[in-house]
Amino acid sequence: MKKALLLVAHGSRQEEANADLYHVVAEMKLLGQFEIMEAAFLEFAEPNIEEGGRRCVALGAEQVVLMPYFLSSGVHFRRDLVSICNRLADLFPHVNFRLAEPLGRHPLLLQVVAERAAEALEKDG
């Protein structure tokens, strides 16, 4: 089964903010876990999530994981992403769309937070 990962960020009008998501997609491609890797944005940037999902299907995905690059499961996750995932599943009933949990409470994030705080303490000034 050909798998796709559609990494989803909120999106920004500032291209440098959106560049972070493209960096993660590029690094994830190197891991080789998914045959298809795409980036998409909820708002303010292109492609939007539905376009990203359509692209995954056009590239032959039989299973698509929508991975929210979000820290919490707020309204965008519970309302918007669930709705978009369901809409994509309706549009492409032969494709298995799954919505992953946001990054939020994953234990490895504690390590990232601790490292970033330590980096701030080590800076001059």
Side-chain angles (χ1 to χ4, degrees):
M1 182 172 283
K2 197 168 187 181
K3 298 180 295 184
L5 182 64
L6 180 59
L7 205 56
V8 177
H10 183 272
S12 173
R13 291 183 182 95
Q14 302 294 320
E15 278 304 310
E16 59 272 12
N18 298 328
D20 287 345
L21 187 68
Y22 289 112
H23 169 79
V24 173
V25 167
E27 293 297 312
M28 287 294 298
K29 282 181 181 178
L30 298 175
L31 297 178
Q33 185 179 357
F34 291 86
E35 293 89 345
I36 301 165
M37 288 285 313
E38 294 291 326
F41 301 94
L42 182 63
E43 54 190 9
F44 304 125
E46 295 295 328
N48 67 35
I49 302 166
E50 189 170 313
E51 290 167 351
R54 287 177 181 274
R55 178 154 169 76
C56 290
V57 172
L59 292 169
E62 299 164 278
Q63 187 171 46
V64 180
V65 175
L66 280 75
M67 177 66 226
Y69 196 65
F70 292 9
L71 287 179
S72 65
S73 62
V75 70
H76 284 314
F77 176 77
R78 283 187 256 119
R79 183 191 66 203
D80 301 330
L81 294 182
V82 168
S83 174
I84 294 167
C85 187
N86 289 337
R87 187 166 54 245
L88 285 166
D90 289 343
L91 287 170
F92 304 102
H94 63 286
V95 178
N96 183 346
F97 285 89
R98 295 184 182 199
L99 180 59
E101 291 294 316
L103 302 172
R105 295 186 178 191
H106 194 285
L108 290 177
L109 279 178
L110 297 174
Q111 182 179 342
V112 172
V113 169
E115 286 179 20
R116 289 295 192 209
E119 288 170 4
L121 291 172
E122 292 170 3
K123 288 183 181 177
D124 290 334

